[in-house]
Amino acid sequence: MAVTRRFVLLLLGGSVVILLAAFINMSWFVFVLYNLLCLTLLFVDYHISPDRNKVEVVREGNENLSIYEEEPISFRVHNKSIFPLKIELQDAFPDFHFDIQNQRIASLVLPNEKKILEYRVVPTKRGNFDFKKPSISFEGRLGLCKKAYKLDLSRQYKVYPNMKNLRKYRLSICNNRFLKQGQKNLKLLGKGTAFESLREYVRGDEYRKINWKATSRYGKPIVNQYEPEKNQHVYMMIDTGRVMNQTVRGFRKLDLVVNTSLILSDMINQNGDESGLLLFNTGVTDFIMPGKGLAHRNKIMDTLYDIDYSSEASNYEDALFQIKKKERHRSIIFLFTDFETEDEAKDLLKWLPIIGKNHLVMIILIKNEKVEKIAEQSVKDVEGMFTKGVALDMLLEREYMIGMLNKKGIFCKEFEPEKLETSVVNRYIHVKNKTYM
């Protein structure tokens, strides 16, 4: 039990009475009597107020949260008493990895009323997090005491990659307004390698697509019409090593890559292909063979939501050998990684031939805009000149490394953080339709 502000004011008000009693030499007697009266009122207030069994609280809402999205944490409060109650509720949330708004929830709950109380959180890290026993308190009928106790309502919340973005992209597909292309559909007839149908030749068609047997049969030029292959294997190969711990615009690179991979996997499956997943750092930590369907999607989701970076340099050799060992089909591989030095890029280049002949590999990097900003700023002193020089050297070295990989016939490109999802999915569409960028 705790006392309220009203009780404190009541005690302070007694000082006036005691001061007046001092003029008739009865201050001590009045002091004792007044305090006994206050304590009696406090005792009465406690016992005439509803007990804890008159207030029922239940956690509500989804236990799955999206990283970097504002999410509600909800409680349903039922006042079973016949008196209105001023209820305050505070959850026992983790100290780190959550930005909390309105930590203490207060509301007046009328007799027999059921009311939803909620506060909002913004998760900043993926994984499992325990929200322990929340505390609840409500004032007594006289407003002098406050009953407080813990609720046995612990719950584990799972913070996933940004599922709200996933729903947004699904809606874009359904409305045929795919990403930045505005009107592009996933299926483009005339492009691809899988035979779809025959049609009459029109000016501009490639001669190599003429079907000579059909032309002879119909007595006019007939061409084959193709569409992108179905059931092709597409891998998201994610480096979880040291370089993915870097922060860009307040987001870790690994978090951006995880969100992008989840969206890409969903687009792959909607396009009729099969998505696979490989996570690696010093070795391969997870390997999911290509598949599709709800169960497969959930398997990828459960693998991605709690992965973390390693402080070690990554082992490309082991990861690429695993792909070669387990994957017999010609596949598309999106390799999400990064490199800080020329030696790291050469190490990657050294091992890429392991799978380069049988698979189409695309290396996806994220721009380090902090370095670009430093390189563009004006110089004011010697220290600034030195800092800018270092930044320019880093950018030139990075440009050289990307160019080196592309000259070897390996697609390598860096993207801005906010455009990573759309850029990677659009790249997949271009590859599927054989329109290389």
Side-chain angles (χ1 to χ4, degrees), residues 22 79 100 123 129 133 144 201 301:
N79 179 7
I100 310 292
F129 297 94
K133 296 180 180 181
L144 302 178
Y201 174 87
M301 174 80 80

Side-chain angles (χ1 to χ4, degrees), residues 401-431:
M401 291 185 289
I402 293 173
M404 178 178 63
L405 289 164
N406 281 291
K407 284 180 181 178
K408 296 291 184 178
I410 300 160
F411 176 86
C412 179
K413 191 171 182 179
E414 59 178 359
F415 299 100
E416 297 174 6
E418 67 273 12
K419 295 181 180 179
L420 183 65
E421 296 166 354
T422 55
S423 299
V424 169
V425 176
N426 274 309
R427 179 63 195 171
Y428 162 69
I429 298 302
H430 277 284
V431 169

Side-chain angles (χ1 to χ4, degrees), residues 206 236 301 359 392 410:
E206 298 179 36
M236 288 84 65
M301 174 80 80
H359 306 286
L392 287 170
I410 300 160

Side-chain angles (χ1 to χ4, degrees), residues 139-176:
E139 290 186 3
R141 290 182 60 192
L142 302 179
L144 302 178
C145 73
K146 183 178 288 187
K147 291 188 174 183
Y149 49 90
K150 292 285 188 179
L151 299 167
D152 189 15
L153 295 175
S154 300
R155 178 185 281 189
Q156 186 177 79
Y157 287 88
K158 294 182 178 181
V159 179
Y160 283 93
N162 199 320
M163 294 180 288
K164 293 184 179 179
N165 276 357
L166 182 59
R167 289 191 286 271
K168 178 185 70 175
Y169 285 109
R170 284 177 178 169
L171 184 62
S172 297
I173 290 293
C174 293
N175 292 335
N176 280 334

Side-chain angles (χ1 to χ4, degrees), residues 166-317:
L166 182 59
R167 289 191 286 271
K168 178 185 70 175
Y169 285 109
R170 284 177 178 169
L171 184 62
S172 297
I173 290 293
C174 293
N175 292 335
N176 280 334
R177 297 195 303 271
F178 185 69
L179 307 181
K180 67 180 182 181
Q181 301 301 321
Q183 69 285 341
K184 178 176 286 188
N185 296 321
L186 287 174
K187 177 179 177 180
L188 292 182
L189 293 178
K191 299 180 179 180
T193 59
F195 177 78
E196 196 272 336
S197 61
L198 296 172
R199 63 171 174 80
E200 189 174 344
Y201 174 87
V202 295
R203 190 175 212 178
D205 283 338
E206 298 179 36
Y207 294 124
R208 63 186 178 88
K209 292 184 178 180
I210 294 177
N211 187 316
W212 295 107
K213 289 184 178 181
T215 298
S216 175
R217 186 165 60 250
Y218 290 105
K220 57 184 176 181
I222 301 295
V223 296
N224 294 330
Q225 186 162 257
Y226 297 92
E227 67 176 352
E229 294 180 47
K230 300 295 183 182
N231 297 312
Q232 187 165 25
H233 290 182
V234 184
Y235 281 92
M236 288 84 65
M237 191 172 174
I238 303 177
D239 182 354
T240 61
R242 182 189 66 249
V243 292
M244 302 305 284
N245 183 40
Q246 296 174 0
T247 301
V248 182
R249 293 196 178 185
F251 306 106
R252 281 185 179 172
K253 286 187 176 181
L254 184 57
D255 289 329
L256 294 170
V257 166
V258 166
N259 283 347
T260 300
S261 297
L262 184 62
I263 291 169
L264 176 60
S265 173
D266 203 66
M267 297 300 108
I268 289 167
N269 293 160
Q270 287 196 44
N271 197 31
D273 290 332
E274 299 182 12
S275 60
L277 177 68
L278 186 146
L279 308 178
F280 71 101
N281 42 65
T282 56
V284 174
T285 56
D286 286 282
F287 195 119
I288 299 177
M289 291 299 292
K292 52 185 168 182
L294 181 60
H296 182 74
R297 174 189 173 276
N298 291 339
K299 187 176 182 181
I300 288 180
M301 174 80 80
D302 288 337
T303 302
L304 286 176
Y305 89 94
D306 64 346
I307 64 170
D308 206 352
Y309 69 94
S310 165
S311 58
E312 304 292 332
S314 295
N315 184 345
Y316 294 111
E317 179 185 6

Side-chain angles (χ1 to χ4, degrees), residues 35-191:
N35 280 278
L36 283 174
L37 177 62
C38 291
L39 290 174
T40 301
L41 289 173
L42 182 65
F43 180 80
V44 170
D45 191 26
Y46 181 82
H47 284 279
I48 66 173
S49 300
D51 295 327
R52 60 184 297 172
N53 59 0
K54 292 296 184 180
V55 180
E56 181 184 78
V57 183
V58 179
R59 274 193 191 270
E60 291 202 335
N62 196 343
E63 64 183 15
N64 298 334
L65 311 177
S66 293
I67 190 170
Y68 301 126
E69 288 288 341
E70 188 176 270
E71 300 278 11
I73 305 294
S74 304
F75 297 87
R76 177 171 52 81
V77 179
H78 181 195
N79 179 7
K80 296 181 178 180
S81 73
I82 59 174
F83 309 106
L85 296 176
K86 294 180 180 178
I87 290 177
E88 289 187 0
L89 192 147
Q90 183 168 3
D91 204 359
F93 48 81
D95 292 333
F96 303 103
H97 311 310
F98 286 87
D99 293 333
I100 310 292
Q101 298 182 17
N102 302 323
Q103 298 182 10
R104 184 178 291 273
I105 318 165
S107 181
L108 177 66
V109 184
L110 300 177
N112 292 316
E113 181 184 14
K114 294 180 180 178
K115 199 168 190 177
I116 298 296
L117 303 183
E118 70 176 31
Y119 67 101
R120 309 190 80 78
V121 302
V122 179
T124 58
K125 191 177 188 300
R126 289 171 288 99
N128 290 319
F129 297 94
D130 292 321
F131 283 56
K132 300 190 181 298
K133 296 180 180 181
S135 59
I136 187 173
S137 63
F138 53 88
E139 290 186 3
R141 290 182 60 192
L142 302 179
L144 302 178
C145 73
K146 183 178 288 187
K147 291 188 174 183
Y149 49 90
K150 292 285 188 179
L151 299 167
D152 189 15
L153 295 175
S154 300
R155 178 185 281 189
Q156 186 177 79
Y157 287 88
K158 294 182 178 181
V159 179
Y160 283 93
N162 199 320
M163 294 180 288
K164 293 184 179 179
N165 276 357
L166 182 59
R167 289 191 286 271
K168 178 185 70 175
Y169 285 109
R170 284 177 178 169
L171 184 62
S172 297
I173 290 293
C174 293
N175 292 335
N176 280 334
R177 297 195 303 271
F178 185 69
L179 307 181
K180 67 180 182 181
Q181 301 301 321
Q183 69 285 341
K184 178 176 286 188
N185 296 321
L186 287 174
K187 177 179 177 180
L188 292 182
L189 293 178
K191 299 180 179 180

